[in-house]
Amino acid sequence: MPSQKLIRCELRRRGSKHAGSPRYIPLEIFGLWEYMMDKRHGFEVSNPRASLWLDMEDSPESAYNENQYERVTEVTAFVYSGRDEMFTRCCRYFPSIELEKLKPIFLSHYEDTAARLQTHVRERQGIWLMREVAAT
C-alpha cells in the first residue's frame, strides 16, 4: 500500500482571528514550505503534526474508525519545463472536502503561457491517519 509521510498543520493569514484551515505537506519539504508561507505569503503556520497518508486503492479506511483519519486527496501535475525540456512531477495534498477550491490555486502556479504542452493532472484519494499527540 503506497504511503507518504505528511505534516498536517493549520494555515491562516497573519493576524487573522479566524481559525486556520488544514494543510497537508510532505515531510521532506515542510521546512521550506513553512518558511515560504510565513516570509513570502504572510501566513501563520500552527499545530504541525506528522503522520502517514495512505492510498485508498487498498481500502485502508476499513481498518480504522471514522474518527481516526481525515480524507485527503493527492493531486499530481506533470508539468513541462521548457528550460529543461522535460516534465517535472509536482505533487500536493488537499483536504478532500476543499479539493475543488484549492486545486485550481495549485494548478495556477503551473500554467503554461506558451500552451505548447498540456499539463497532465492525476488525483488519488487517500486518508491521513490521526495519531495521538505525545504527552510532554
Side-chain angles (χ1 to χ4, degrees), residues 5-41:
K5 294 176 184 173
L6 297 182
I7 303 287
R8 182 197 188 279
C9 60
E10 303 288 327
L11 185 70
R12 69 178 185 179
R13 285 272 175 210
R14 188 175 298 118
S16 173
K17 303 289 187 234
H18 299 310
S21 60
R23 294 294 185 269
Y24 301 87
I25 311 303
L27 178 64
E28 65 269 9
I29 67 166
F30 181 73
L32 175 60
W33 179 87
E34 182 179 34
Y35 176 84
M36 294 296 289
M37 290 297 108
D38 178 37
K39 303 299 184 203
R40 182 168 181 158
H41 299 293

Side-chain angles (χ1 to χ4, degrees), residues 46-128:
S46 60
N47 303 322
R49 291 186 1 214
S51 192
L52 288 178
W53 175 87
L54 303 175
D55 186 336
M56 292 289 281
E57 187 174 295
D58 295 327
S59 300
E61 78 277 13
S62 63
Y64 301 96
N65 293 327
E66 256 321 293
N67 61 349
Q68 292 179 306
Y69 64 86
E70 295 177 1
R71 295 187 182 278
V72 175
T73 302
E74 176 190 74
V75 178
T76 303
F78 297 91
V79 182
Y80 182 75
S81 167
R83 184 189 75 187
D84 303 323
E85 296 183 350
M86 64 178 60
F87 282 88
T88 302
R89 180 179 176 267
C90 304
C91 183
R92 298 294 181 266
Y93 297 82
F94 302 105
S96 296
I97 198 164
E98 294 185 39
L99 181 63
E100 295 309 312
K101 179 177 85 173
L102 298 173
K103 181 179 162 186
I105 297 168
F106 163 62
L107 293 177
S108 73
H109 291 81
Y110 302 103
E111 289 177 344
D112 183 13
T113 55
R116 275 194 319 146
L117 295 172
Q118 180 73 25
T119 298
H120 175 71
V121 178
R122 180 184 74 196
E123 294 179 16
R124 288 194 310 166
Q125 301 298 313
I127 58 173
W128 181 81

